[in-house]
Amino acid sequence: MSLPSVLFIGGTGTISSEASALAVKRGLNVTLLNRGQSSVRPAAKGAEVLVADVRDPASVHAAIGERDFDVVIDFVAFTPEQVAQDIELFTGRTGQYVYISSASAYQKPPLRLPIVESSPLRNPFWKYSRDKIASEDLLVSAYRESGFPATIVRPSHTYDATNIPINGGWTAIDRMRRGEPVVVHGDGSSLWVLTHSRDFAKAFVGLLGHPQAVGDSFHITSDEVLSWTQITGLMADAAGVEANVVHVTSDAIAAADPDMGAGHLGDRSHSVIFDNSKVKALVPDYVATTGFAEGAREIVEWYDAHPERKVVDPELNELFDNLVSAAS
C-alpha cells in the first residue's frame, strides 16, 4: 500500500518548513515544489524536491507532469488569480486542496471575542487580508459549485527562530542592546497571539487527508495570549536587556510608513483571542506547547549564532528615531 502523497507548494517557509518535516516524520509521501532557492531553511529530509516557478502554470505542469496527489497545499498563493490557477491545475488531481489564508482576514476591529471560524471576514485596512478573503470566496464557490475539495487554514502570526515579531526585526533588538528606545504601538495593552511553527505543524498535519476537513475552514493558533508590552518585554529578556519602550499610535506609524502601518491598522493594533475548539475536534491531541518566553530565547540564540543575519536597517533606525522624537 502506497503512502499518502502530499504536494507542498512552497515547503521551506516559516510555516511550511516545520509542517513538511513533520509530515515526513509521520510517514506521508512528501513532495516540495518551489524555486529551490531557500538558504535559511533546508528542504525536509526525506522529501522529494521539484524545482519550478510556482506562479507559472507551464513551469508547474512541466515539473509535476500528469501526477496526482492525495493532498495539495499552497503556502504561497496570495491573490484570487493565483488560486484560480491552482483550481484549474488541480481539479480532478487531488482529494484535498489546502489553502493557507490568514487570521487577519477576520473582521477588524473584531466585535466579539474569542474569534471563531464563523466570525465575519472583513478587513478594510489591509489589502493583503482582502486578497486572502477574495481567494477564500473563490474556493468556497468552487467547492459548492463543483465539489473542488478545498480546506482553508488561517494561521495567525506564526513564527520560528528566524522571525522577530516586534517592530523592526533585528534592528529593534540592536536598539534594545544599545539602550535606544523601541517603538510599541498604541499603549501596549492590546492582546496578541503568537504561535510557534512547531506547534502549528502539529494541528496542520493532522488535517491533511482528513475527510471531515474538506469544504471547511480552520484557524490554528496557540492558546497563549499576551499584550504587546509583554511580548516586547520577553524579547528584551531574551536579549539580556531591559526595553526602553516608547508608545506610538498606530495612526502615527501608518502616516510615517504606510507599509508597516497597514499591518498595524489591519491586524496588530486590534486585540485577538482565538477559540481553537474546531481544529481540536478533528485533531484531538493538538496542544501548543512552546510559550513565547521559550520562543523568544530561541530567536535571540539563533541570531547570535548567525551574525550575518543580524542586519541593522539605517532607514528603520531613522524612522524609529523620528517616531520617538514626535512622541516625546
Side-chain angles (χ1 to χ4, degrees), residues 142-155:
Y143 172 71
R144 289 174 177 171
E145 294 171 9
S146 66
F148 184 73
T151 297
I152 294 166
V153 173
R154 303 183 187 116

Side-chain angles (χ1 to χ4, degrees), residues 246-299:
V246 172
H247 295 108
V248 177
T249 68
S250 294
D251 286 333
I253 293 171
D257 187 322
D259 289 337
M260 183 184 295
H264 282 281
L265 296 176
D267 205 16
R268 295 186 180 202
S269 64
H270 306 282
S271 288
V272 293
I273 302 171
F274 296 94
D275 181 342
N276 285 286
S277 299
K278 189 174 179 181
V279 73
K280 289 178 181 178
L282 267 61
V283 190
D285 61 346
Y286 171 58
V287 59
T289 56
T290 302
F292 188 62
E294 178 184 351
R297 289 193 296 271
E298 288 183 9
I299 290 169

Side-chain angles (χ1 to χ4, degrees), residues 26-27 31 35 40 65 83 135 150 181 183 211 231 271 309 324 328:
R26 292 192 176 175
T31 299
R35 294 174 185 252
V40 177
V83 170
S135 299
V183 170
I231 291 168
S271 288
R309 299 285 178 179
V324 168
S328 301

Side-chain angles (χ1 to χ4, degrees), residues 160-188:
D160 66 6
T162 72
N163 301 123
I164 300 170
I166 61 174
N167 273 332
W170 184 258
T171 300
I173 306 302
D174 178 74
R175 290 176 70 89
M176 287 182 180
R177 284 184 163 174
R178 291 188 291 109
E180 295 294 321
V182 292
V183 170
V184 174
H185 63 274
D187 64 1

Side-chain angles (χ1 to χ4, degrees), residues 71-122:
V71 182
V72 172
I73 313 155
D74 197 331
F75 289 87
V76 294
F78 300 99
T79 68
E81 292 78 16
Q82 292 167 351
V83 170
Q85 290 178 356
D86 282 354
I87 293 172
E88 182 177 357
L89 183 60
F90 293 110
T91 292
R93 300 179 64 176
T94 186
Q96 183 188 30
Y97 171 89
V98 183
Y99 177 62
I100 306 301
S101 185
S102 168
S104 69
Y106 288 119
Q107 178 188 62
K108 297 295 181 301
L111 298 183
R112 184 173 61 186
L113 296 175
I115 294 168
V116 296
E117 282 81 356
S118 60
S119 296
L121 304 181
R122 182 176 184 271

Side-chain angles (χ1 to χ4, degrees), residues 6 8 11 13-26 28 30 32 44 73 75 197-198 200-202 204-205 208:
V6 182
F8 282 69
T14 299
I15 298 176
S16 59
S17 180
E18 288 283 357
S20 59
L22 183 60
V24 171
K25 183 177 179 180
R26 292 192 176 175
L28 301 179
V30 174
L32 310 184
I73 313 155
F75 289 87
S197 58
R198 280 194 305 267
F200 177 89
K202 291 183 283 188
F204 182 75
V205 173
L208 303 184

